[in-house]
Amino acid sequence: MRIQILGSAAGGGFPQWNCGCHNCQGLRAGTLRAKERTQTQVAISDDGQEWFLLNASPDVRMQIERTAVLHARNLRHSPISGVLMTSADIDHVAGLLSLRELQPFRIYCTRSLRHILRGDNSIFGMLNRVSRQVCWNDVNLGEKFPLLTTSGCESGISCETFSLGTTYPEYVTADRATELNPKEALLGLILTTSSDRRLAYFPAVPKIHDTLLEVLDSAELLLFDGTFWSDDELIQIQGSPLSAREMGHVPVGGDKGSLRALASLRCRRKLFVHVNNTNPMLDESGPEYQEMQAAGWELAEDGWQLEL
Ligand SMILES: [Zn+2]
């Protein structure tokens, strides 16, 4: 499997347009040893011809343009055969609106997510203006399904979803939320090649527990939630009323952070994605970055190409 990291920051990107935190200011001024990052976006392919996006970030148009393998090969064409959705977060779904130019592809999502997007948000109707446009494929929790090429053949990659959280985004109305399956609010993905090699894609994880550890341990390559370094990061920096955990992200550092909780995993490579612009781990001269590296992790960067 080929894996392209198209974006590696959390919502807002790095730097974030309205942020003057230490990291964002330092990056703009050139005084911080750190890399600019677009919002988290990953693309995967078995054969290098047909590609699948993991979610659709608000930066997806620019991310596709920066990535030659995703360019059109004739007058109307896209190597993108499908998009897999892990949640209804704006950071994960907004990019679908940038893919509305009458191109046929599949969206793999739960029924709950389909109800939110198609039932309550008419703007997503632009993905189905003509009959041969987007095909919505329902995904059942815990059930393995093949990713299909544009012509409907098996691509060589299959996917299994795991429920990680029960909170829907604020824009989902209270009435609608009562009709949704809470277990479909937030998913992690295990993507398996025909030779049984596994990529675990878990960009938002509210809690680490034994069942999750077992699932992650089965993967050779792990892309994991690196949003915040500490639980009170946003409380300290911008007076946020919510902790990292309350926002649905287990922090990286500290006694109960992911570095310690995932220390026993046997994955060949472990990378953090979805890194918020406030995270001190972005400073490559800082102690947090060194601690992360010393624990055997990498900080994913836009443009990285991985093989599995
Ligand atoms: Zn910032």
Side-chain angles (χ1 to χ4, degrees):
M1 191 191 309
R2 297 188 199 185
I3 300 122
Q4 293 263 357
I5 308 289
L6 308 183
S8 50
F14 179 47
Q16 178 176 310
W17 69 282
N18 64 340
C19 190
C21 75
H22 171 79
N23 281 351
C24 289
Q25 277 190 336
L27 187 69
R28 291 186 188 109
T31 53
L32 190 80
R33 206 177 133 214
K35 310 266 179 3
E36 197 175 342
R37 285 174 161 82
T38 59
Q39 296 168 94
T40 289
Q41 180 67 60
V42 173
I44 60 171
S45 175
D46 186 63
D47 62 3
Q49 302 296 314
E50 304 253 357
W51 289 81
F52 299 89
L53 301 180
L54 309 184
N55 292 316
S57 95
D59 296 322
V60 75
R61 192 205 70 83
M62 175 178 52
Q63 291 166 333
I64 290 169
E65 282 309 309
R66 285 178 177 178
T67 311
V69 293
L70 299 180
H71 292 171
R73 293 179 205 129
N74 53 51
L75 186 59
R76 273 289 180 275
H77 167 263
S78 172
I80 296 166
S81 307
V83 186
L84 289 90
M85 311 304 299
T86 64
S87 85
D89 279 3
I90 291 174
D91 302 337
H92 293 162
V93 305
L96 290 174
L97 297 173
S98 299
L99 305 176
R100 67 185 181 282
E101 282 82 13
L102 308 181
Q103 184 66 35
F105 64 90
R106 288 182 173 78
I107 293 176
Y108 300 88
C109 68
T110 60
R111 280 181 196 82
S112 297
L113 184 52
R114 180 164 54 80
H115 288 314
I116 294 168
L117 299 186
R118 300 193 73 186
D120 299 339
N121 292 276
S122 58
I123 196 169
F124 287 93
M126 295 302 279
L127 296 171
N128 293 99
R129 281 165 63 207
V130 297
S131 59
R132 220 180 102 68
Q133 198 175 348
V134 165
C135 174
W136 297 74
N137 288 34
D138 282 345
V139 163
N140 297 315
L141 288 176
E143 210 170 90
K144 206 167 184 175
F145 58 94
L147 303 188
L148 301 177
T149 64
T150 309
S151 57
C153 302
E154 293 199 8
S155 67
I157 300 174
S158 56
C159 179
E160 203 173 342
T161 58
F162 292 87
S163 174
L164 294 171
T166 56
T167 309
Y168 282 97
E170 278 180 49
Y171 75 84
V172 177
T173 63
D175 275 355
R176 172 59 82 186
T178 59
E179 298 166 2
L180 303 174
N181 178 353
K183 289 189 170 170
E184 293 182 346
L186 176 64
L187 307 180
L189 308 176
I190 295 282
L191 298 139
T192 309
T193 67
S194 46
S195 53
D196 209 29
R197 295 178 162 217
R198 291 165 173 234
L199 160 68
Y201 187 63
F202 287 70
V205 177
K207 201 175 173 191
I208 296 171
H209 47 74
D210 288 348
T211 314
L212 176 63
L213 284 173
E214 263 177 53
V215 170
L216 299 180
D217 202 36
S218 74
E220 287 183 48
L221 177 59
L222 171 61
L223 301 178
F224 195 80
D225 183 346
T227 311
F228 299 113
W229 179 264
S230 54
D231 199 35
D232 65 350
E233 188 169 308
L234 284 192
I235 298 171
Q236 295 292 336
I237 292 176
Q238 61 183 47
S240 161
L242 297 176
S243 69
R245 284 191 173 81
E246 285 166 342
M247 294 176 73
H249 301 285
V250 59
V252 174
D255 281 348
K256 292 175 182 169
S258 52
L259 282 186
R260 300 227 174 123
L262 302 180
S264 63
L265 290 185
R266 292 168 295 178
C267 312
R268 192 163 50 85
R269 279 182 88 174
K270 297 176 287 188
L271 290 82
F272 285 114
V273 293
H274 200 270
V275 185
N276 198 58
N277 62 81
T278 52
N279 191 327
M281 175 170 76
L282 286 165
D283 178 357
E284 293 169 18
S285 305
E288 293 85 358
Y289 183 82
Q290 323 246 312
E291 188 181 336
M292 179 270 304
Q293 278 197 321
W297 285 77
E298 297 168 77
L299 193 55
E301 293 179 17
D302 294 21
W304 276 11
Q305 302 173 30
L306 314 171
E307 289 263 358
L308 182 63

PDB file of all heavy atoms in Angstrom, residues 1-5 42-52 54 69 157 193 199 221 304-308:
ATOM      1  N   MET A   1       0.849  -1.189   0.000  1.00  0.00           N
ATOM      2  CA  MET A   1       0.000   0.000   0.000  1.00  0.00           C
ATOM      3  C   MET A   1       0.884   1.239   0.000  1.00  0.00           C
ATOM      4  O   MET A   1       1.884   1.301   0.703  1.00  0.00           O
ATOM      5  CB  MET A   1      -0.887   0.001   1.261  1.00  0.00           C
ATOM      6  CG  MET A   1      -1.982   1.040   1.235  1.00  0.00           C
ATOM      7  SD  MET A   1      -2.842   1.297   2.832  1.00  0.00           S
ATOM      8  CE  MET A   1      -3.300  -0.354   3.314  1.00  0.00           C
ATOM      9  N   ARG A   2       0.515   2.200  -0.830  1.00  0.00           N
ATOM     10  CA  ARG A   2       1.206   3.496  -0.787  1.00  0.00           C
ATOM     11  C   ARG A   2       0.353   4.466   0.024  1.00  0.00           C
ATOM     12  O   ARG A   2      -0.867   4.492  -0.130  1.00  0.00           O
ATOM     13  CB  ARG A   2       1.376   4.057  -2.189  1.00  0.00           C
ATOM     14  CG  ARG A   2       2.237   3.185  -3.058  1.00  0.00           C
ATOM     15  CD  ARG A   2       2.503   3.935  -4.339  1.00  0.00           C
ATOM     16  NE  ARG A   2       2.922   2.993  -5.365  1.00  0.00           N
ATOM     17  CZ  ARG A   2       3.316   3.370  -6.568  1.00  0.00           C
ATOM     18  NH1 ARG A   2       3.313   4.640  -6.893  1.00  0.00           N
ATOM     19  NH2 ARG A   2       3.688   2.473  -7.456  1.00  0.00           N
ATOM     20  N   ILE A   3       1.028   5.217   0.844  1.00  0.00           N
ATOM     21  CA  ILE A   3       0.330   6.174   1.711  1.00  0.00           C
ATOM     22  C   ILE A   3       0.956   7.552   1.505  1.00  0.00           C
ATOM     23  O   ILE A   3       2.164   7.712   1.648  1.00  0.00           O
ATOM     24  CB  ILE A   3       0.463   5.759   3.201  1.00  0.00           C
ATOM     25  CG1 ILE A   3      -0.166   4.365   3.408  1.00  0.00           C
ATOM     26  CG2 ILE A   3      -0.194   6.776   4.116  1.00  0.00           C
ATOM     27  CD1 ILE A   3       0.766   3.357   3.953  1.00  0.00           C
ATOM     28  N   GLN A   4       0.133   8.514   1.145  1.00  0.00           N
ATOM     29  CA  GLN A   4       0.605   9.894   0.971  1.00  0.00           C
ATOM     30  C   GLN A   4       0.034  10.745   2.104  1.00  0.00           C
ATOM     31  O   GLN A   4      -1.191  10.791   2.279  1.00  0.00           O
ATOM     32  CB  GLN A   4       0.083  10.465  -0.365  1.00  0.00           C
ATOM     33  CG  GLN A   4       0.650   9.795  -1.587  1.00  0.00           C
ATOM     34  CD  GLN A   4       1.838  10.583  -2.157  1.00  0.00           C
ATOM     35  OE1 GLN A   4       2.183  11.638  -1.678  1.00  0.00           O
ATOM     36  NE2 GLN A   4       2.457  10.030  -3.174  1.00  0.00           N
ATOM     37  N   ILE A   5       0.929  11.399   2.828  1.00  0.00           N
ATOM     38  CA  ILE A   5       0.472  12.362   3.836  1.00  0.00           C
ATOM     39  C   ILE A   5       0.307  13.704   3.114  1.00  0.00           C
ATOM     40  O   ILE A   5       1.290  14.337   2.740  1.00  0.00           O
ATOM     41  CB  ILE A   5       1.504  12.520   4.979  1.00  0.00           C
ATOM     42  CG1 ILE A   5       1.907  11.164   5.573  1.00  0.00           C
ATOM     43  CG2 ILE A   5       0.972  13.482   6.055  1.00  0.00           C
ATOM     44  CD1 ILE A   5       0.876  10.467   6.382  1.00  0.00           C
ATOM     45  N   VAL A  42      -5.007  12.262   4.256  1.00  0.00           N
ATOM     46  CA  VAL A  42      -4.182  11.135   3.835  1.00  0.00           C
ATOM     47  C   VAL A  42      -4.825  10.512   2.609  1.00  0.00           C
ATOM     48  O   VAL A  42      -6.053  10.486   2.480  1.00  0.00           O
ATOM     49  CB  VAL A  42      -4.065  10.095   4.981  1.00  0.00           C
ATOM     50  CG1 VAL A  42      -3.367   8.833   4.517  1.00  0.00           C
ATOM     51  CG2 VAL A  42      -3.328  10.701   6.179  1.00  0.00           C
ATOM     52  N   ALA A  43      -3.995  10.029   1.675  1.00  0.00           N
ATOM     53  CA  ALA A  43      -4.491   9.279   0.509  1.00  0.00           C
ATOM     54  C   ALA A  43      -3.756   7.945   0.468  1.00  0.00           C
ATOM     55  O   ALA A  43      -2.553   7.888   0.767  1.00  0.00           O
ATOM     56  CB  ALA A  43      -4.248  10.054  -0.778  1.00  0.00           C
ATOM     57  N   ILE A  44      -4.469   6.863   0.107  1.00  0.00           N
ATOM     58  CA  ILE A  44      -3.860   5.536   0.053  1.00  0.00           C
ATOM     59  C   ILE A  44      -4.180   4.864  -1.284  1.00  0.00           C
ATOM     60  O   ILE A  44      -5.202   5.164  -1.917  1.00  0.00           O
ATOM     61  CB  ILE A  44      -4.347   4.628   1.214  1.00  0.00           C
ATOM     62  CG1 ILE A  44      -5.870   4.446   1.156  1.00  0.00           C
ATOM     63  CG2 ILE A  44      -3.923   5.207   2.554  1.00  0.00           C
ATOM     64  CD1 ILE A  44      -6.387   3.393   2.119  1.00  0.00           C
ATOM     65  N   SER A  45      -3.284   3.962  -1.700  1.00  0.00           N
ATOM     66  CA  SER A  45      -3.504   3.231  -2.946  1.00  0.00           C
ATOM     67  C   SER A  45      -2.771   1.896  -2.879  1.00  0.00           C
ATOM     68  O   SER A  45      -1.686   1.798  -2.306  1.00  0.00           O
ATOM     69  CB  SER A  45      -2.969   4.046  -4.124  1.00  0.00           C
ATOM     70  OG  SER A  45      -3.065   3.305  -5.322  1.00  0.00           O
ATOM     71  N   ASP A  46      -3.364   0.875  -3.485  1.00  0.00           N
ATOM     72  CA  ASP A  46      -2.688  -0.418  -3.576  1.00  0.00           C
ATOM     73  C   ASP A  46      -1.791  -0.465  -4.808  1.00  0.00           C
ATOM     74  O   ASP A  46      -0.678  -0.961  -4.754  1.00  0.00           O
ATOM     75  CB  ASP A  46      -3.729  -1.543  -3.637  1.00  0.00           C
ATOM     76  CG  ASP A  46      -3.069  -2.916  -3.580  1.00  0.00           C
ATOM     77  OD1 ASP A  46      -2.436  -3.207  -2.552  1.00  0.00           O
ATOM     78  OD2 ASP A  46      -3.167  -3.672  -4.564  1.00  0.00           O
ATOM     79  N   ASP A  47      -2.283   0.087  -5.933  1.00  0.00           N
ATOM     80  CA  ASP A  47      -1.555  -0.051  -7.203  1.00  0.00           C
ATOM     81  C   ASP A  47      -0.935   1.256  -7.704  1.00  0.00           C
ATOM     82  O   ASP A  47      -0.309   1.281  -8.767  1.00  0.00           O
ATOM     83  CB  ASP A  47      -2.493  -0.613  -8.284  1.00  0.00           C
ATOM     84  CG  ASP A  47      -3.674   0.311  -8.572  1.00  0.00           C
ATOM     85  OD1 ASP A  47      -3.745   1.407  -7.975  1.00  0.00           O
ATOM     86  OD2 ASP A  47      -4.534  -0.064  -9.391  1.00  0.00           O
ATOM     87  N   GLY A  48      -1.118   2.338  -6.963  1.00  0.00           N
ATOM     88  CA  GLY A  48      -0.565   3.623  -7.390  1.00  0.00           C
ATOM     89  C   GLY A  48      -1.387   4.302  -8.472  1.00  0.00           C
ATOM     90  O   GLY A  48      -1.053   5.391  -8.923  1.00  0.00           O
ATOM     91  N   GLN A  49      -2.483   3.657  -8.904  1.00  0.00           N
ATOM     92  CA  GLN A  49      -3.341   4.220  -9.951  1.00  0.00           C
ATOM     93  C   GLN A  49      -4.661   4.732  -9.366  1.00  0.00           C
ATOM     94  O   GLN A  49      -5.089   5.842  -9.663  1.00  0.00           O
ATOM     95  CB  GLN A  49      -3.648   3.148 -11.018  1.00  0.00           C
ATOM     96  CG  GLN A  49      -2.412   2.562 -11.681  1.00  0.00           C
ATOM     97  CD  GLN A  49      -1.641   3.593 -12.469  1.00  0.00           C
ATOM     98  OE1 GLN A  49      -2.210   4.372 -13.225  1.00  0.00           O
ATOM     99  NE2 GLN A  49      -0.328   3.628 -12.274  1.00  0.00           N
ATOM    100  N   GLU A  50      -5.307   3.876  -8.580  1.00  0.00           N
ATOM    101  CA  GLU A  50      -6.596   4.234  -7.973  1.00  0.00           C
ATOM    102  C   GLU A  50      -6.341   4.599  -6.514  1.00  0.00           C
ATOM    103  O   GLU A  50      -5.766   3.818  -5.761  1.00  0.00           O
ATOM    104  CB  GLU A  50      -7.565   3.042  -8.036  1.00  0.00           C
ATOM    105  CG  GLU A  50      -7.792   2.516  -9.441  1.00  0.00           C
ATOM    106  CD  GLU A  50      -9.163   2.876  -9.998  1.00  0.00           C
ATOM    107  OE1 GLU A  50      -9.973   3.495  -9.285  1.00  0.00           O
ATOM    108  OE2 GLU A  50      -9.412   2.536 -11.170  1.00  0.00           O
ATOM    109  N   TRP A  51      -6.781   5.790  -6.131  1.00  0.00           N
ATOM    110  CA  TRP A  51      -6.486   6.308  -4.794  1.00  0.00           C
ATOM    111  C   TRP A  51      -7.759   6.527  -3.982  1.00  0.00           C
ATOM    112  O   TRP A  51      -8.834   6.782  -4.538  1.00  0.00           O
ATOM    113  CB  TRP A  51      -5.723   7.634  -4.910  1.00  0.00           C
ATOM    114  CG  TRP A  51      -4.319   7.427  -5.392  1.00  0.00           C
ATOM    115  CD1 TRP A  51      -3.914   7.255  -6.685  1.00  0.00           C
ATOM    116  CD2 TRP A  51      -3.139   7.320  -4.590  1.00  0.00           C
ATOM    117  NE1 TRP A  51      -2.554   7.070  -6.726  1.00  0.00           N
ATOM    118  CE2 TRP A  51      -2.047   7.112  -5.462  1.00  0.00           C
ATOM    119  CE3 TRP A  51      -2.890   7.399  -3.212  1.00  0.00           C
ATOM    120  CZ2 TRP A  51      -0.737   6.967  -5.000  1.00  0.00           C
ATOM    121  CZ3 TRP A  51      -1.589   7.263  -2.756  1.00  0.00           C
ATOM    122  CH2 TRP A  51      -0.522   7.047  -3.642  1.00  0.00           C
ATOM    123  N   PHE A  52      -7.592   6.450  -2.655  1.00  0.00           N
ATOM    124  CA  PHE A  52      -8.700   6.671  -1.726  1.00  0.00           C
ATOM    125  C   PHE A  52      -8.280   7.727  -0.713  1.00  0.00           C
ATOM    126  O   PHE A  52      -7.176   7.643  -0.149  1.00  0.00           O
ATOM    127  CB  PHE A  52      -9.080   5.362  -1.023  1.00  0.00           C
ATOM    128  CG  PHE A  52      -9.522   4.314  -1.993  1.00  0.00           C
ATOM    129  CD1 PHE A  52      -8.592   3.454  -2.574  1.00  0.00           C
ATOM    130  CD2 PHE A  52     -10.844   4.223  -2.382  1.00  0.00           C
ATOM    131  CE1 PHE A  52      -8.991   2.508  -3.513  1.00  0.00           C
ATOM    132  CE2 PHE A  52     -11.251   3.286  -3.321  1.00  0.00           C
ATOM    133  CZ  PHE A  52     -10.331   2.428  -3.888  1.00  0.00           C
ATOM    134  N   LEU A  54      -8.698   9.541   2.902  1.00  0.00           N
ATOM    135  CA  LEU A  54      -9.213   9.309   4.247  1.00  0.00           C
ATOM    136  C   LEU A  54      -9.721  10.660   4.755  1.00  0.00           C
ATOM    137  O   LEU A  54      -8.941  11.551   5.046  1.00  0.00           O
ATOM    138  CB  LEU A  54      -8.113   8.737   5.158  1.00  0.00           C
ATOM    139  CG  LEU A  54      -7.371   7.515   4.592  1.00  0.00           C
ATOM    140  CD1 LEU A  54      -6.371   6.964   5.609  1.00  0.00           C
ATOM    141  CD2 LEU A  54      -8.342   6.421   4.149  1.00  0.00           C
ATOM    142  N   VAL A  69       0.473  12.269  -8.276  1.00  0.00           N
ATOM    143  CA  VAL A  69      -0.270  11.019  -8.533  1.00  0.00           C
ATOM    144  C   VAL A  69      -1.783  11.223  -8.458  1.00  0.00           C
ATOM    145  O   VAL A  69      -2.550  10.353  -8.891  1.00  0.00           O
ATOM    146  CB  VAL A  69       0.141   9.882  -7.560  1.00  0.00           C
ATOM    147  CG1 VAL A  69       1.567   9.448  -7.830  1.00  0.00           C
ATOM    148  CG2 VAL A  69      -0.066  10.288  -6.100  1.00  0.00           C
ATOM    149  N   ILE A 157      -7.484  -3.207  -1.331  1.00  0.00           N
ATOM    150  CA  ILE A 157      -7.500  -2.704   0.056  1.00  0.00           C
ATOM    151  C   ILE A 157      -8.897  -2.934   0.625  1.00  0.00           C
ATOM    152  O   ILE A 157      -9.899  -2.669  -0.036  1.00  0.00           O
ATOM    153  CB  ILE A 157      -7.176  -1.193   0.115  1.00  0.00           C
ATOM    154  CG1 ILE A 157      -5.789  -0.918  -0.475  1.00  0.00           C
ATOM    155  CG2 ILE A 157      -7.248  -0.689   1.559  1.00  0.00           C
ATOM    156  CD1 ILE A 157      -5.456   0.566  -0.589  1.00  0.00           C
ATOM    157  N   THR A 193      -4.136  -4.639   3.307  1.00  0.00           N
ATOM    158  CA  THR A 193      -3.780  -4.983   1.927  1.00  0.00           C
ATOM    159  C   THR A 193      -4.095  -6.454   1.669  1.00  0.00           C
ATOM    160  O   THR A 193      -4.382  -7.212   2.606  1.00  0.00           O
ATOM    161  CB  THR A 193      -2.276  -4.772   1.683  1.00  0.00           C
ATOM    162  OG1 THR A 193      -1.557  -5.733   2.470  1.00  0.00           O
ATOM    163  CG2 THR A 193      -1.829  -3.377   2.074  1.00  0.00           C
ATOM    164  N   LEU A 199      -2.703  -0.824   8.008  1.00  0.00           N
ATOM    165  CA  LEU A 199      -2.526   0.579   8.387  1.00  0.00           C
ATOM    166  C   LEU A 199      -3.656   0.943   9.342  1.00  0.00           C
ATOM    167  O   LEU A 199      -4.821   0.695   9.036  1.00  0.00           O
ATOM    168  CB  LEU A 199      -2.604   1.464   7.136  1.00  0.00           C
ATOM    169  CG  LEU A 199      -2.905   2.951   7.353  1.00  0.00           C
ATOM    170  CD1 LEU A 199      -1.742   3.651   8.042  1.00  0.00           C
ATOM    171  CD2 LEU A 199      -3.209   3.637   6.017  1.00  0.00           C
ATOM    172  N   LEU A 221       1.655  -0.080  10.609  1.00  0.00           N
ATOM    173  CA  LEU A 221       1.838   1.365  10.507  1.00  0.00           C
ATOM    174  C   LEU A 221       0.662   2.051  11.196  1.00  0.00           C
ATOM    175  O   LEU A 221      -0.489   1.717  10.928  1.00  0.00           O
ATOM    176  CB  LEU A 221       1.887   1.760   9.020  1.00  0.00           C
ATOM    177  CG  LEU A 221       1.996   3.238   8.677  1.00  0.00           C
ATOM    178  CD1 LEU A 221       3.236   3.868   9.272  1.00  0.00           C
ATOM    179  CD2 LEU A 221       2.015   3.412   7.163  1.00  0.00           C
ATOM    180  N   TRP A 304       4.915  13.728   2.854  1.00  0.00           N
ATOM    181  CA  TRP A 304       5.590  12.451   3.098  1.00  0.00           C
ATOM    182  C   TRP A 304       4.911  11.319   2.330  1.00  0.00           C
ATOM    183  O   TRP A 304       3.682  11.258   2.245  1.00  0.00           O
ATOM    184  CB  TRP A 304       5.585  12.111   4.592  1.00  0.00           C
ATOM    185  CG  TRP A 304       6.702  12.751   5.362  1.00  0.00           C
ATOM    186  CD1 TRP A 304       7.540  13.731   4.911  1.00  0.00           C
ATOM    187  CD2 TRP A 304       7.094  12.458   6.701  1.00  0.00           C
ATOM    188  NE1 TRP A 304       8.427  14.069   5.923  1.00  0.00           N
ATOM    189  CE2 TRP A 304       8.176  13.310   7.015  1.00  0.00           C
ATOM    190  CE3 TRP A 304       6.634  11.579   7.675  1.00  0.00           C
ATOM    191  CZ2 TRP A 304       8.809  13.288   8.257  1.00  0.00           C
ATOM    192  CZ3 TRP A 304       7.248  11.558   8.921  1.00  0.00           C
ATOM    193  CH2 TRP A 304       8.336  12.399   9.201  1.00  0.00           C
ATOM    194  N   GLN A 305       5.733  10.407   1.806  1.00  0.00           N
ATOM    195  CA  GLN A 305       5.224   9.211   1.132  1.00  0.00           C
ATOM    196  C   GLN A 305       5.683   7.996   1.914  1.00  0.00           C
ATOM    197  O   GLN A 305       6.869   7.855   2.180  1.00  0.00           O
ATOM    198  CB  GLN A 305       5.767   9.135  -0.285  1.00  0.00           C
ATOM    199  CG  GLN A 305       5.407  10.356  -1.123  1.00  0.00           C
ATOM    200  CD  GLN A 305       6.099  10.348  -2.463  1.00  0.00           C
ATOM    201  OE1 GLN A 305       6.386   9.298  -3.011  1.00  0.00           O
ATOM    202  NE2 GLN A 305       6.375  11.515  -2.993  1.00  0.00           N
ATOM    203  N   LEU A 306       4.743   7.119   2.261  1.00  0.00           N
ATOM    204  CA  LEU A 306       5.064   5.928   3.050  1.00  0.00           C
ATOM    205  C   LEU A 306       4.670   4.696   2.248  1.00  0.00           C
ATOM    206  O   LEU A 306       3.805   4.755   1.377  1.00  0.00           O
ATOM    207  CB  LEU A 306       4.315   5.940   4.375  1.00  0.00           C
ATOM    208  CG  LEU A 306       4.322   7.257   5.178  1.00  0.00           C
ATOM    209  CD1 LEU A 306       3.355   7.162   6.342  1.00  0.00           C
ATOM    210  CD2 LEU A 306       5.722   7.563   5.680  1.00  0.00           C
ATOM    211  N   GLU A 307       5.301   3.582   2.564  1.00  0.00           N
ATOM    212  CA  GLU A 307       4.972   2.299   1.909  1.00  0.00           C
ATOM    213  C   GLU A 307       4.651   1.292   2.999  1.00  0.00           C
ATOM    214  O   GLU A 307       5.240   1.299   4.067  1.00  0.00           O
ATOM    215  CB  GLU A 307       6.176   1.784   1.113  1.00  0.00           C
ATOM    216  CG  GLU A 307       6.478   2.584  -0.125  1.00  0.00           C
ATOM    217  CD  GLU A 307       5.892   1.961  -1.392  1.00  0.00           C
ATOM    218  OE1 GLU A 307       5.276   0.881  -1.293  1.00  0.00           O
ATOM    219  OE2 GLU A 307       6.050   2.585  -2.454  1.00  0.00           O
ATOM    220  N   LEU A 308       3.733   0.398   2.682  1.00  0.00           N
ATOM    221  CA  LEU A 308       3.393  -0.654   3.647  1.00  0.00           C
ATOM    222  C   LEU A 308       3.433  -1.980   2.915  1.00  0.00           C
ATOM    223  O   LEU A 308       2.806  -2.122   1.876  1.00  0.00           O
ATOM    224  CB  LEU A 308       1.999  -0.400   4.223  1.00  0.00           C
ATOM    225  CG  LEU A 308       1.489  -1.352   5.277  1.00  0.00           C
ATOM    226  CD1 LEU A 308       2.352  -1.312   6.529  1.00  0.00           C
ATOM    227  CD2 LEU A 308       0.052  -1.023   5.624  1.00  0.00           C
TER     228      LEU A 308
END
